[in-house]
Amino acid sequence: MNEFIRKNTDIDWSCILRDILRQWWIIVLSGAGAFLMTAAVMQFAYRPAYTSESAFVIGLSGLNAHSISENLSQAETTCRQYTQVVESSILKKQVCEDLSLDTFEAKVTVATVPSSNLMVLSVTAASPRQAYLISRSIIKHAVKLMAYFLDDVSMQELQQSQIPTAPSNPVNFFLWGERAGLVSMAGMMLILGLMSLGRDTVRRPEDVSSKVDARLLGTICYEKKRQSLLLTSPVLSFDYVETSHMLSARICMTLDRLDKQVLMVTSTAENEGKSTIAANLAVSMAQSGKKVLLCDCDFRKPSQYKIFSSEYPESPNFTEAIENQTPVDPEKLKRIPGLSILFPQKPMARPWNKTELQFVRQTLLRLKSSEDYVILDTSPAALISDTEEYASLADAALMVIHQNEIEACCINDTIDALNDAGTHVIGCVLNALHHPILKNSGYSKYYSRYRHNGYAYSRKAAPSRKKGHLPNE
């Protein structure tokens, strides 16, 4: 029992719910497909039936004081006899000959109205006209056959059969399609939930220590995509700004302790937020009084020029400098106090050759001499073949992990590749960490440690600020 409770407590229902809602279009398409398929199949298989009814009054000849009860009894007897007649092969043959039918395909029922001497004849067929004609033919030929049973019984037609105007077996295709659509949507949500549950991704900060071969240096809260996610934007939330500054301080202390200067920021796949984190690391370090160079080395898909476009619309193009072997003048690099930026503005479809790699290495070696830190925003390590070339430019690496996106085994393979290339992975950052939807979710307690008195510090102790020491080590 305790093991069952522990496993269910470890399940991050918030991430599973977000995974399901993220695939809302699949759920809607499955519901719409089931609706249309059910309606189409039912409409194809539906065979309308039309029923024509006639009513008769059953009575005895020569009424007396006891005729009412006798009429009720005689009505039951006559109904049974009439049923035998209409089900006989003789009557069916006569009806087929009368209407020139090959086979008798109508359904005929005879029943009495409860507590009355009324008998109802119902004929159901595939078309309104056929139901009416068969009903009239049965009445015409049954009278002759019933003459053997109606010695002193009178049988008068009270209501003559009519041509039916609507099917007697109507089907609401919309209702059945709606039910099928709802069942399909529920089933798809269950499937998506099970698929999410089976994915071995990093959903909580606690998962890093158990699944990833790198230590957690910090987390970045999820922030809705606005015009800019730079720390210089005044519309960012307190949580996002504070966790970004905390990550920057922790990385600075780690780099100082390890005597590293050039930090490579990478991720396993695209859209994990590495470029934004690299930009904010550089801005935060510069705001703390450090001299920082931010270089966008993601030449396949550069993005730093988009992030800083509103800040520096006329920044130098690093791609042209590499292609033309033009030295980069540090004085021409646009900067805010303490921050220099260097990035390409158009992609390169091919890897670097030896000459271009040597030029980039010499450029960074010359520029870093006047900087405290150099941050390299590189391509996703799992999507490029020249990981070693990028790793050779840095002496430390930071892995960016988007919450609940990439399998832990793929993240570990990327970390191993970077370590094998000679670049020390100092740790990782868990990006886009959502606030827990459910109060009992796995990382709800994680947030409580960092939201005391409006600061992102633990309730027990604030992080150490001494150079060369990591907080909570």
Side-chain angles (χ1 to χ4, degrees):
M1 183 64 180
N2 293 333
E3 181 70 14
F4 176 80
I5 295 176
R6 185 188 66 80
K7 289 183 177 180
N8 281 274
T9 304
D10 290 342
I11 296 176
D12 196 326
W13 298 106
S14 298
C15 283
I16 294 177
L17 179 60
R18 275 190 291 269
D19 282 344
I20 294 174
L21 296 179
R22 189 184 305 172
Q23 307 294 333
W24 63 268
W25 59 275
I26 297 180
I27 300 174
V28 173
L29 285 180
S30 67
F35 176 86
L36 296 176
M37 183 68 69
T38 302
V41 170
M42 291 192 66
Q43 191 169 9
F44 176 78
Y46 174 62
R47 295 294 181 268
Y50 299 88
T51 301
S52 180
E53 294 183 344
S54 300
F56 299 88
V57 178
I58 309 299
L60 293 172
S61 303
L63 295 177
N64 52 49
H66 306 285
S67 61
I68 295 178
S69 60
E70 293 177 358
N71 286 342
L72 294 177
S73 176
Q74 186 60 44
E76 294 290 341
T77 303
T78 304
C79 180
R80 289 193 297 268
Q81 295 170 346
Y82 203 87
T83 301
Q84 295 175 0
V85 170
V86 299
E87 291 180 351
S88 64
S89 59
I90 299 175
L91 179 65
K92 292 180 180 180
K93 183 178 180 181
Q94 291 177 348
V95 171
C96 289
E97 293 175 353
D98 186 20
L99 301 178
S100 301
L101 299 177
D102 295 332
T103 57
F104 187 89
E105 296 181 352
K107 179 181 179 182
V108 183
T109 58
V110 181
T112 58
V113 179
S115 302
S116 70
N117 61 337
L118 298 179
M119 183 184 72
V120 179
L121 171 66
S122 301
V123 179
T124 303
S127 67
R129 184 174 182 274
Q130 188 177 23
Y132 171 75
L133 293 178
I134 293 177
S135 175
R136 300 316 302 170
S137 181
I138 288 176
I139 294 173
K140 180 176 69 173
H141 293 286
V143 172
K144 300 176 183 179
L145 296 177
M146 286 293 294
Y148 299 100
F149 306 101
L150 301 176
D151 294 334
D152 56 347
V153 177
S154 64
M155 183 175 174
Q156 298 178 355
E157 189 173 4
L158 179 63
Q159 178 182 337
Q160 188 176 6
S161 56
Q162 302 290 332
I163 298 178
T165 58
S168 57
N169 60 339
V171 176
N172 191 336
F173 299 111
F174 181 85
L175 178 61
W176 284 100
E178 185 181 44
R179 292 175 178 175
L182 292 176
V183 172
S184 177
M185 292 174 67
M188 182 57 65
M189 292 176 65
L190 178 61
I191 293 174
L192 293 174
L194 293 176
M195 291 176 61
S196 174
L197 188 61
R199 294 175 62 227
D200 188 26
T201 57
V202 179
R203 295 188 172 96
R204 306 169 299 173
E206 292 83 354
D207 291 342
V208 175
S209 59
S210 60
K211 297 181 179 181
V212 180
D213 298 335
R215 64 189 299 248
L216 180 65
L217 293 178
T219 61
I220 301 297
C221 299
Y222 172 78
E223 185 79 4
K224 285 187 177 181
K225 187 68 175 179
R226 294 183 173 89
Q227 185 177 0
S228 174
L229 290 180
L230 273 178
L231 293 181
T232 54
S233 174
V235 297
L236 297 177
S237 67
F238 174 83
D239 285 340
Y240 184 81
V241 174
E242 195 65 21
T243 52
S244 298
H245 285 309
M246 284 188 62
L247 175 65
S248 173
R250 197 177 182 102
I251 289 177
C252 286
M253 286 184 280
T254 303
L255 293 176
D256 292 343
R257 180 173 63 87
L258 298 176
D259 194 21
K260 305 292 184 182
Q261 183 183 8
V262 183
L263 176 66
M264 167 184 175
V265 180
T266 187
S267 61
T268 302
E270 292 182 308
N271 300 321
E272 293 198 68
K274 65 173 183 60
S275 296
T276 302
I277 287 182
N280 284 332
L281 280 178
V283 172
S284 179
M285 290 177 180
Q287 290 177 347
S288 65
K290 304 293 183 179
K291 294 181 179 180
V292 184
L293 169 65
L294 173 63
C295 181
D296 190 350
C297 294
D298 189 355
F299 289 88
R300 307 292 180 85
K301 194 175 180 181
S303 57
Q304 290 295 341
Y305 79 95
K306 298 178 183 178
I307 297 176
F308 285 91
S309 60
S310 60
E311 301 284 343
Y312 309 106
E314 298 180 356
S315 299
N317 193 338
F318 196 21
T319 305
E320 295 179 355
I322 295 176
E323 293 176 347
N324 301 328
Q325 299 290 300
T326 304
V328 178
D329 186 2
E331 299 299 328
K332 293 183 179 181
L333 297 180
K334 301 293 183 179
R335 65 177 66 193
I336 62 175
L339 175 61
S340 301
I341 56 176
L342 178 62
F343 40 70
Q345 297 184 14
K346 65 177 183 178
M348 294 179 62
R350 58 177 177 79
W352 290 332
N353 56 41
K354 293 183 178 180
T355 304
E356 292 172 340
L357 178 62
Q358 185 64 24
F359 174 80
V360 174
R361 183 179 288 110
Q362 292 177 355
T363 299
L364 293 179
L365 184 62
R366 179 166 50 86
L367 293 178
K368 77 175 185 179
S369 59
S370 59
E371 307 291 343
D372 294 323
Y373 303 108
V374 177
I375 298 178
L376 306 180
D377 177 19
T378 64
S379 303
L383 300 181
I384 58 175
S385 59
D386 45 3
T387 303
E388 294 183 0
E389 297 178 0
Y390 287 102
S392 65
L393 301 175
D395 46 24
L398 173 69
M399 278 292 300
V400 177
I401 303 174
H402 193 289
Q403 183 191 23
N404 194 32
E405 286 291 334
I406 308 299
E407 298 278 347
C409 60
C410 298
I411 298 173
N412 291 328
D413 290 342
T414 303
I415 294 175
D416 293 339
L418 292 173
N419 287 326
D420 294 340
T423 302
H424 176 59
V425 179
I426 62 173
C428 62
V429 52
L430 185 58
N431 190 31
L433 185 65
H434 288 77
H435 288 285
I437 299 176
L438 305 176
K439 292 183 179 180
N440 294 327
S441 60
Y443 53 88
S444 59
K445 295 181 180 179
Y446 182 85
Y447 272 100
S448 65
R449 301 201 308 265
Y450 296 95
R451 295 183 60 84
H452 179 57
N453 294 332
Y455 295 96
Y457 299 142
S458 172
R459 293 178 181 270
K460 296 182 179 180
S464 173
R465 294 296 183 181
K466 294 181 180 180
K467 183 176 180 180
H469 295 278
L470 293 176
N472 300 330
E473 277 195 310

